[in-house]
Amino acid sequence: MELDVRDLPPRERHPRIFALLDSLKPGEHFVLLNDHDPKPLYYQLMAERPGQVDWAYLEEGPEVWRVRIGKR
């Protein structure tokens, strides 16, 4: 499953990502596509969902970032 947030307004991106993450069962994941390094999202996820999230870069720019985000 992929979530492409590149065309979403910035204020809608994190809520959409958190909603999808929260809908996952443990062991499931999705791939986030973004137009910049989503490092701030990483820090927010680690703060708000400590120990519940797996994060792995699949592609690191310069135009597209793809990150595998999973629920533990």
Side-chain angles (χ1 to χ4, degrees):
M1 170 180 4
E2 285 191 347
L3 176 60
D4 187 344
V5 298
R6 293 175 291 179
D7 292 331
L8 291 177
R11 70 182 176 280
E12 294 180 16
R13 292 178 180 191
H14 285 203
R16 180 82 54 95
I17 294 163
F18 271 81
L20 179 54
L21 178 63
D22 290 341
S23 75
L24 297 178
K25 295 177 182 163
E28 294 182 330
H29 71 274
F30 66 95
V31 175
L32 174 69
L33 278 76
N34 206 353
D35 56 8
H36 64 276
D37 186 351
K39 188 62 81 172
L41 172 66
Y42 171 81
Y43 292 123
Q44 185 179 1
L45 286 170
M46 295 304 123
E48 295 186 21
R49 306 289 190 281
Q52 301 175 38
V53 179
D54 289 320
W55 178 280
Y57 283 99
L58 303 175
E59 185 176 346
E60 296 185 61
E63 294 180 20
V64 176
W65 277 257
R66 295 176 66 240
V67 181
R68 182 182 182 274
I69 301 174
K71 188 173 195 175
R72 291 184 186 164

